Amino acid sequence: VMPETAAVAALDLLDDLDGLLERRARVAAKYNEAAPLMGALRQQVRPGDRHAWVHWVGRLPGRRDAVAAGLARAGIQSKPYYAPVLHRHDWGGLAEPAPPLPVTEALADEVLALPMSSELSTADAERVAWAAVRWATGRP
């Protein structure tokens, strides 16, 4: 059940949904442009589909933590998107042992979400993208 105030806010956003999606798409385009330069494998969108870009997530094998730390030093918030994974928690004997989950574990160790908002400007997105490139390539 959604509280009434949240429902009113959501209805208000519907009027600008196309604009909101377009602004997020512009931010994602800047990140997508920089992804190959930072060595990031990025989310894919199937032909004919439209991504809402609620998050922009890239896979940075061997560089995720360095990029996140560098971005943090620059005052840019990021998030290891799939971490922590539930099968790594100590459930104190309350759960059955998990089988090996190599893809899940790789994603938990390598994936980073960059800031995403319809309120970010193109200049903000460029600042984030190029800071990530600098840290991913070891040229801070």
Side-chain angles (χ1 to χ4, degrees):
V1 174
M2 183 184 289
E4 187 174 331
T5 53
V8 169
L11 284 173
D12 189 46
L13 288 175
L14 283 177
D15 289 339
D16 188 36
L17 184 59
D18 288 335
L20 183 144
L21 293 173
E22 179 56 37
R23 290 189 301 274
R24 284 188 195 158
R26 284 195 296 266
V27 171
K30 290 298 176 185
Y31 294 167
N32 289 342
E33 179 183 323
L37 300 173
M38 68 176 93
L41 303 171
R42 61 182 182 81
Q43 295 169 293
Q44 299 296 311
V45 180
R46 288 186 292 197
D49 285 352
R50 183 175 180 193
H51 199 303
W53 295 115
V54 174
H55 304 283
W56 188 94
V57 179
R59 189 171 180 180
L60 295 156
R63 295 180 302 286
R64 194 261 323 260
D65 293 341
V67 172
L71 291 174
R73 284 193 289 280
I76 300 169
Q77 188 175 24
S78 63
K79 181 182 180 201
Y81 192 72
Y82 294 109
V85 291
L86 292 177
H87 72 282
R88 288 186 181 169
H89 285 278
D90 178 10
W91 295 101
L94 298 174
E96 293 182 27
L101 301 169
V103 173
T104 300
E105 291 170 10
L107 290 173
D109 293 338
E110 299 173 354
V111 173
L112 187 68
L114 297 183
M116 177 52 74
S117 169
S118 59
E119 302 302 316
L120 286 173
S121 68
T122 303
D124 293 333
E126 286 179 355
R127 176 178 172 253
V128 171
W130 298 116
V133 168
R134 284 194 308 274
W135 288 101
T137 58
R139 292 183 254 145

